Amino acid sequence: MKSDADTQRHQAAHPDCTYDRKGDMPESAQAKIIRLEARNGVLSAELESILETKEAQLAACTCGSISILGSTNQDSAVSDLYHGAMTSPVLPATPSSYAAMDGSAPLQDICPEMSVFRLVDELQPPPDPVLHMWHGSTDVSTNVWPPNLPPPELLHHLAETVFSSVPLATRVIHRPIFMASLALPPSSPRFPHASILHAICALASLYTPIVTDIDNVNSDSGMSGVVVNAGVFQRRSHGAGIFRNSDKDTRKAFNFATIHSHWSREASFKSLHRGEAIVEQVQSMILLAWFHHSRGDFVATVVLVGALTKLIAILGFNASSSCSPLSRIPSGYLYAGCPPLTAVEEETFRNIFWVAYVMERLVNATNVWVLSFEDMDCSQTLPCRLRDFTKDVAVPKQARQHLLSRNVLVTHLPLSTDSFTLYVKAAVIFGQVRTFNCRYKQHYDAPDVQSISTPASKAKVRDPRETAEFKALDDVVDAFIASIPREFKDPVGLNTGAKLDPTLYVAHLLPHMATITLHDPHANVFSADDPSAQKILSAARGIMRLIYNVCSTTFDPLFLDHMSSTAWFLAGTTIIRFLAAKTAQGDEVEVGILKEELSAVKYVNHQDVYTAVHNGIA
């Protein structure tokens, strides 16, 4: 008999051998399969017995939920849709029942497993008041889809459409994290907020061919031809009475995009009232502002942007942690927002601020209204490159800039410069020009008001172009254009073969817009020697070159940043001023050139409007 010491010496000499104790022999594969199959049969029998018992109890139930609509699968779907209608704030007081039918071909091509629902007038709602207290199907499920959202397949398509079609969407929402959270069950706390999802539905409907409804409401029957739960509006057959009352505004108020924008605003208001998911509400407000701007709803856009900038200031997104104010209040209580938990979240907050900053300046480009954000109050770091944000790549602090950095507008650090960074800097320049125009008379012409200028210099100023501020702004515009890095010189990609970059395209338009805005009030277009007239004509033709470049490609203008059309408009108004002057002077050669340039502006704006109408925006 071997001792323990002998066994250990044998094992050390033969390390590949294994020694099992007596009685510990492993179970063979065949025996294990037989044992598991037997166990599976027992469990299956127990499960069938439990299900039979529960079905018998359910059949004997007298609560009324089965007897109202029946117990078939189709009736369950009908009931789910009816409950979605009952929770909708924009539906009539007496909604109709729903029935399932096949969807349209384009939708089935992309989402073949989806069914599309429509209202059926022949089905009348049951008069039983118990229906108003009923809360859906009797089926037990852990994955209850929110009632007013489109089906998951369609919602995923709409989200991908927003990310691929809206230039700055991937800055406001971190795409990989959002798409991963969208795949979670709706009961998960990480599932996206309803306000964001409804805003995505509204915005994506402007770009996708799936949503084809524009004006599709029969006011005589309330919401005939409308799908609310699936979010798809289905046109009824001709002769069924659609558009009997020709009230276009009433019909348009209930189309797919508008109804989802309404639901987004309502969900956002409820969350803000409770103080929940504040950052998600900011993101949804940005998406809704883009939606209304795309449709030309100027008042709604300005109101949303104004509320958005105020909310961002309350959250403290405009301030850097290294530039906290002097206060006895603890740093954690200076602002209403919670500190970011991850680097991606911190960069998302930063991107949200800069997108809102740019939106405020460009939405108000053609007016003189007071802005919410002053440059001196914006100590936030400039954004990083999109690829670093998407991949969660850390950028060293020494490679980041802020508005107080030396020569920030003409110095572009390689590790933190991309098209959006240039876009932000160009918007800063444009905002400074706009602010100068709005405040000039306060500083130089207002009587008995303390000015930033000395009284001596104030008395000497007769022409705004002679002020140091005007000259500095004029110089920084030219310096910014000259300082753009070589790899960002061609936004259309005609010389490099790269894809057209909508964000970089606007970054090239904004300096020309700033020049026109700065010099336009002082330009004498009847004088060939007037420097301001020469400046605005040169800037307008700089915009024209960018128009020619984009028109020489097959790029759809719908997918450009919508501030592009504002720049085109400024170029058009400038050309019209010179056209009137040259016509009065009888300069036929110059009149012919200006008419050709004006035709190009009309063409590109017509293309933009035509695409919008074709896609149901206008």
Side-chain angles (χ1 to χ4, degrees):
M1 188 176 201
K2 293 183 179 180
S3 64
D4 292 340
D6 293 335
T7 302
Q8 292 177 1
R9 285 194 298 271
H10 184 75
Q11 290 179 358
H14 302 81
D16 295 335
C17 300
T18 57
Y19 297 86
D20 299 318
R21 296 180 181 179
K22 187 176 181 180
D24 291 343
M25 296 298 293
E27 183 180 21
S28 66
Q30 183 176 4
K32 188 174 183 178
I33 292 174
I34 294 174
R35 179 175 59 81
L36 293 177
E37 287 181 346
R39 180 61 176 164
N40 186 40
V42 173
L43 294 176
S44 298
E46 292 178 357
L47 180 61
E48 290 179 2
S49 176
I50 293 173
L51 290 176
E52 289 177 358
T53 303
K54 295 298 182 182
E55 288 178 359
Q57 293 175 355
L58 186 61
C61 176
T62 58
C63 64
S65 61
I66 301 281
S67 60
I68 290 175
L69 292 174
S71 59
T72 64
N73 292 334
Q74 179 174 347
D75 288 333
S76 296
V78 171
S79 304
D80 289 340
L81 288 170
Y82 185 82
H83 176 61
M86 292 298 297
T87 60
S88 168
V90 297
L91 294 181
T94 309
S96 299
S97 300
Y98 290 86
M101 63 177 294
D102 292 335
S104 60
L107 180 59
Q108 290 180 339
D109 291 341
I110 296 179
C111 307
E113 299 180 0
M114 233 186 295
S115 61
V116 181
F117 296 84
R118 63 167 247 190
L119 247 104
V120 180
D121 292 335
E122 289 76 12
L123 295 179
Q124 298 298 325
D128 196 329
V130 177
L131 180 63
H132 295 271
M133 301 173 60
W134 186 70
H135 294 289
S137 170
T138 57
D139 297 336
V140 178
S141 174
T142 60
N143 186 19
V144 181
W145 193 251
N148 290 332
L149 288 176
E153 298 87 349
L154 177 57
L155 185 59
H156 278 74
H157 166 74
L158 295 177
E160 290 288 359
T161 298
V162 168
F163 285 126
S164 60
S165 303
V166 182
L168 297 180
T170 51
R171 286 285 184 172
V172 175
I173 302 174
H174 192 268
R175 182 174 186 172
I177 293 178
F178 180 84
M179 296 308 297
S181 64
L182 192 58
L184 296 173
S187 56
S188 171
R190 299 190 323 185
F191 190 76
H193 197 275
S195 62
I196 295 182
L197 297 178
H198 285 303
I200 283 176
C201 292
L203 185 57
S205 67
L206 308 180
Y207 299 93
T208 178
I210 287 183
V211 181
T212 58
D213 69 300
I214 301 176
D215 301 326
N216 193 20
V217 172
N218 179 1
S219 60
D220 291 347
S221 60
M223 294 283 288
S224 297
V226 178
V227 175
V228 176
N229 193 65
V232 178
F233 286 66
Q234 191 79 333
R235 184 182 295 275
R236 285 173 40 184
S237 59
H238 295 290
I242 285 290
F243 307 152
R244 279 198 293 266
N245 85 335
S246 74
D247 185 357
K248 183 175 180 180
D249 293 336
T250 302
R251 296 196 305 272
K252 191 170 183 178
F254 292 102
N255 65 15
F256 177 91
T258 309
I259 199 171
H260 277 285
S261 69
H262 179 94
W263 283 331
S264 177
R265 289 194 302 272
E266 186 186 61
S268 182
F269 176 80
K270 290 180 178 178
S271 291
L272 290 173
H273 182 71
R274 296 191 296 263
E276 299 174 353
I278 304 299
V279 176
E280 286 82 351
Q281 310 322 312
V282 172
Q283 292 171 319
S284 68
M285 290 168 70
I286 291 176
L287 297 178
L288 284 180
W290 284 336
F291 165 73
H292 287 293
H293 192 201
S294 302
R295 292 165 57 99
D297 299 334
F298 178 72
V299 173
T301 304
V302 171
V303 169
L304 269 171
V305 171
L308 172 68
T309 52
K310 186 62 178 177
L311 185 55
I312 286 177
I314 294 173
L315 294 174
F317 289 178
N318 62 304
S320 173
S321 58
S322 61
C323 300
S324 57
L326 300 176
S327 174
R328 293 180 58 250
I329 302 175
S331 59
Y333 296 91
L334 288 173
Y335 302 104
C338 297
L341 301 178
T342 64
V344 170
E345 196 171 73
E346 181 181 9
E347 198 64 37
T348 301
F349 293 174
R350 186 174 292 118
N351 288 340
I352 287 174
F353 164 71
W354 285 116
V355 168
Y357 175 96
V358 169
M359 288 177 66
E360 184 186 31
R361 276 146 178 76
L362 302 189
V363 166
N364 295 288
T366 57
N367 60 55
V368 294
W369 300 339
V370 176
L371 302 177
S372 300
F373 288 133
E374 293 285 345
D375 287 352
M376 293 300 295
D377 296 326
C378 301
S379 59
Q380 183 58 269
T381 308
L382 288 175
C384 67
R385 296 176 297 186
L386 178 60
R387 64 173 179 266
D388 294 334
F389 172 59
T390 303
K391 297 180 180 179
D392 191 15
V393 176
V395 181
K397 289 185 178 180
Q398 58 269 26
R400 307 295 289 266
Q401 296 175 297
H402 51 78
L403 292 187
L404 302 180
S405 300
R406 185 182 300 274
N407 297 324
V408 62
L409 299 177
V410 295
T411 303
H412 313 295
L413 303 181
L415 290 181
S416 59
T417 297
D418 68 353
S419 57
F420 183 57
T421 312
L422 297 173
Y423 187 3
V424 170
K425 292 181 178 181
V428 171
I429 296 173
F430 180 81
Q432 292 176 352
V433 169
R434 184 184 178 279
T435 300
F436 172 80
N437 286 347
C438 294
R439 295 179 177 175
Y440 172 78
K441 291 189 176 181
Q442 287 180 243
H443 293 166
Y444 292 95
D445 291 349
D448 302 327
V449 175
Q450 184 177 359
S451 172
I452 61 173
S453 304
T454 62
S457 63
K458 187 176 177 181
K460 296 177 183 178
V461 173
R462 297 297 180 189
D463 188 339
R465 292 174 289 185
E466 297 177 3
T467 62
E469 293 90 343
F470 186 98
K471 294 176 181 178
L473 288 172
D474 203 16
D475 291 340
V476 78
V477 172
D478 296 335
F480 174 79
I481 296 175
S483 70
I484 295 177
R486 183 177 59 182
E487 59 269 29
F488 300 106
K489 290 286 188 181
D490 185 8
V492 181
L494 294 180
N495 300 321
T496 61
K499 293 197 311 182
L500 189 148
D501 187 340
T503 304
L504 185 60
Y505 186 80
V506 179
H508 279 259
L509 287 171
L510 282 172
H512 301 304
M513 291 176 60
T515 297
I516 294 175
T517 304
L518 183 64
H519 285 272
D520 184 76
H522 322 293
N524 180 8
V525 296
F526 291 91
S527 173
D529 299 327
D530 184 74
S532 290
Q534 296 172 357
K535 279 276 190 176
I536 65 173
L537 183 59
S538 176
R541 285 176 171 163
I543 295 175
M544 292 303 307
R545 285 192 296 272
L546 291 168
I547 290 176
Y548 296 145
N549 289 345
V550 76
C551 288
S552 65
T553 69
T554 59
F555 191 86
D556 191 338
L558 177 66
F559 298 99
L560 289 172
D561 189 294
H562 294 297
M563 283 312 303
S564 302
S565 58
T566 304
W568 301 339
F569 172 79
L570 280 179
T573 56
T574 302
I575 291 172
I576 289 174
R577 286 189 66 188
F578 280 92
L579 181 60
K582 297 302 179 183
T583 301
Q585 294 173 351
D587 189 343
E588 296 182 1
V589 175
E590 196 66 25
V591 166
I593 296 174
L594 292 170
K595 283 185 176 180
E596 290 181 0
E597 291 173 333
L598 186 59
S599 298
V601 175
K602 290 180 178 179
Y603 171 79
V604 71
N605 278 292
H606 172 75
Q607 288 295 105
D608 197 24
V609 172
Y610 172 79
T611 306
V613 173
H614 182 71
N615 287 276
I617 298 176

